[in-house]
Amino acid sequence: MQHVNIHTDSIILHHTVGHGNTEQYALHCHNFYEVFYFVAGDVSYLVDGKRYDPEPHSILLIAPHVFHGVKIESDAPYERISLHFVAGFLPREYQSVLLSPFHTEGGSSNVYFAQGVKDELFSFFKQLMDCRDFEADIRELSLRIRLEALLSQILQMSHSLKSHTEAAASSTTVSRVIQYLNDHIAEPITLDDLSAHFFISKHHLNKVFRQATGTTVLNYVIHKRVVMAQNLMLQGQSANSAAAAAGFGDYSSFYRAYKKIFRHAPSIKQAPMLLH
């Protein structure tokens, strides 16, 4: 059963409910853009070789010339909205920015959206579908305006998803860096070495590290080494041997760091203090 069918030279929109499973993916590609809105059913989708098992009320963005296809996994009713359009249907000055979510870095890895789709996007699709009842002389203009509004909302969701993804990646990187620092705290450590080891620029490394911990990488190392040396001193080691064991190259640098943090000179008689 087909609920809605809008077909012009520049835009095609179908709202369809189907039944019956398929044995394989119907892979194909085309020279127009597609927004696939999955409403309900039991399907899987391939986009450039990556499989998606879409949740109800999620979307996939398909750029031109990208191989993709759906496989219906059961006889459950399969409801979807498919929207196809050509780039030239959009104003030329807005095409690049509005179509940017379809052309993400890393290929098809960021073209699936599940969170907030029903609440944030369904009304835009409904407005597009409402155009089927418009007079021909205003339907084309209304479709263009409403398509721009939909793509603007997708653009906003794309930016939000990208920010969350980058934040998660940064958090993972910082966790790996901290684990590495803790495992090698008494060894020589430089930003150049860390940059090479984690394949990340020194500037970006310090930026994400400060965002996550509130301090720089080297300041973190100094604090850890000072605390390590303090513990060794409390166990009876001399300040010189504790400093060397904690990774300080010379006693004077240890002395300055210790006094800056604890506000007194190193002494095995001093009780440990909380770091703030």
Side-chain angles (χ1 to χ4, degrees), residues 4 8 11 30 33 35 52 55 58 60 64-65 72 107 121 139 144 157 175-176 191 204 209 226 240 245 250 275:
V4 177
T8 75
I11 186 169
H30 39 63
Y33 288 86
V35 182
Y52 296 88
E55 301 175 15
S58 59
L60 277 164
H65 314 300
I72 306 173
L121 289 184
R139 184 174 60 177
R144 178 182 294 110
M157 293 176 66
S175 296
R176 292 171 57 220
L191 278 178
H204 187 62
F209 195 91
V226 165
N240 274 308
D250 57 79
L275 290 178

Side-chain angles (χ1 to χ4, degrees), residues 116-172:
V117 170
K118 184 176 182 180
D119 294 333
E120 298 183 35
L121 289 184
F122 182 75
S123 62
F124 291 92
F125 281 96
K126 186 177 184 306
Q127 290 177 27
L128 279 164
M129 290 187 286
D130 288 344
C131 291
R132 70 188 185 278
D133 299 322
F134 289 5
E135 297 292 337
D137 57 343
I138 64 171
R139 184 174 60 177
E140 190 83 355
L141 175 61
S142 298
L143 284 170
R144 178 182 294 110
I145 292 172
R146 296 179 185 203
L147 175 61
E148 288 180 46
L150 169 65
L151 295 178
S152 295
Q153 188 63 28
I154 292 175
L155 179 65
Q156 171 59 34
M157 293 176 66
S158 176
H159 285 176
S160 178
L161 177 63
K162 182 179 179 182
S163 297
H164 291 157
T165 302
E166 289 177 348
S170 295
S171 177
T172 300

Side-chain angles (χ1 to χ4, degrees), residues 11-87:
I11 186 169
I12 301 172
L13 187 150
H14 296 303
H15 178 198
T16 308
V17 180
H19 300 269
N21 64 327
T22 55
E23 295 184 358
Q24 59 186 6
Y25 293 96
L27 292 173
H28 62 285
C29 66
H30 39 63
N31 60 1
F32 43 80
Y33 288 86
E34 177 179 355
V35 182
F36 171 80
Y37 189 139
F38 175 69
V39 181
D42 180 16
V43 305
S44 59
Y45 220 86
L46 281 184
V47 180
D48 259 359
K50 182 173 182 177
R51 173 172 169 151
Y52 296 88
D53 297 299
E55 301 175 15
H57 298 285
S58 59
I59 64 169
L60 277 164
L61 308 180
I62 315 297
H65 314 300
V66 169
F67 267 93
H68 61 284
V70 66
K71 180 182 178 185
I72 306 173
E73 305 285 355
S74 74
D75 291 328
Y78 168 36
E79 182 178 359
R80 70 278 193 189
I81 301 171
S82 58
L83 171 64
H84 306 86
F85 62 94
V86 296

Side-chain angles (χ1 to χ4, degrees), residues 179-253:
Q179 184 62 54
Y180 180 89
L181 295 176
N182 291 339
D183 292 342
H184 301 83
I185 196 66
E187 302 172 16
I189 296 175
T190 68
L191 278 178
D192 286 324
D193 292 337
L194 292 173
S195 175
H197 184 82
F198 291 99
F199 304 100
I200 184 173
S201 73
K202 293 186 292 183
H203 172 75
H204 187 62
L205 174 59
N206 248 336
K207 178 181 177 181
V208 298
F209 195 91
R210 181 185 286 276
Q211 289 173 342
T213 67
T215 190
T216 64
V217 173
L218 294 184
N219 201 38
Y220 176 89
V221 170
I222 291 172
H223 273 72
K224 294 284 289 189
R225 286 176 174 173
V226 165
V227 172
M228 179 180 177
Q230 183 192 52
N231 287 335
L232 292 174
M233 291 165 60
L234 291 172
Q235 295 171 22
Q237 289 195 29
S238 68
N240 274 308
S241 62
F248 285 96
D250 57 79
Y251 182 78
S252 61
S253 60

